[in-house]
Amino acid sequence: MALDPARREHLRVVEYQARDMARPHITAAKVLYGSHFWPHACFLSMTAVEELGKALAIQKVRADDDEDGNQLIKALRDHTFKAVMGAFPALVMNDAARDRHGRHRETGDYRLDRVRSLAAAPTEWMRLKNACLYVDLGDASDVARE
């Protein structure tokens, strides 16, 4: 179904709001990283990737001029979908970004390829994102016995 003008405008505004939200997440993540608050920086970076993914998913709907509202809402609630949408075109397929972030010293792999791999692993993306903020009780077998 083709987008009506009011819906198209609404999606345009939300697309830009998502991009505008990602920018300060990245800025704050850099400050936190520089202050050695690595888990918090990681969380905000991952959230920024998801916001970028949201913006790109909405941009695609607008470009295709076709929307299933329920499907879009469902997709935008899926953290992994947004992570893949944000990581792949903006980071992995972007040669300038890959060059800017460079390769890992020990493995020689592009750092951004690891982000893509993580984004494509549904349970791992959210496991890592949650681990940035929450302490996990873990397994009883993890506790050293005296």
Side-chain angles (χ1 to χ4, degrees):
M1 169 172 36
L3 294 169
D4 66 66
R7 184 68 170 159
R8 174 177 289 288
E9 177 60 14
H10 174 76
L11 289 174
R12 185 191 68 77
V13 169
V14 173
E15 175 190 336
Y16 282 86
Q17 286 174 335
R19 284 190 189 148
D20 289 346
M21 183 62 74
R23 286 184 188 103
H25 286 340
I26 292 299
T27 301
K30 288 177 181 178
V31 170
L32 289 166
Y33 187 86
S35 299
H36 304 273
F37 288 95
W38 296 302
H40 303 86
C42 181
F43 179 83
L44 282 176
S45 297
M46 293 174 80
T47 303
V49 168
E50 289 182 31
E51 285 297 293
L52 182 57
K54 181 190 299 178
L56 292 172
I58 292 169
Q59 184 181 65
K60 182 178 181 332
V61 166
R62 289 179 49 232
D64 293 346
D65 194 30
D66 185 28
E67 176 199 15
D68 174 352
N70 292 332
Q71 188 65 25
L72 179 62
I73 290 168
K74 183 179 175 187
L76 296 182
R77 288 184 178 152
D78 180 348
H79 294 280
T80 303
F81 170 77
K82 292 183 293 188
V84 170
M85 285 295 291
F88 214 82
L91 300 175
V92 178
M93 300 305 292
N94 180 340
D95 290 339
R98 285 170 57 116
D99 293 342
R100 188 169 48 253
H101 292 280
R103 294 177 180 267
H104 188 274
R105 253 183 259 140
E106 294 172 18
T107 66
D109 295 338
Y110 282 105
R111 288 185 174 95
L112 294 182
D113 285 349
R114 299 298 177 144
V115 174
R116 184 208 58 193
S117 296
L118 180 62
T123 57
E124 289 304 303
W125 179 265
M126 283 310 296
R127 187 193 64 72
L128 178 60
K129 189 173 178 191
N130 286 332
C132 292
L133 294 182
Y134 306 109
V135 174
D136 186 10
L137 180 59
D139 223 339
S141 63
D142 294 339
V143 178
R145 301 196 190 267
E146 294 184 31

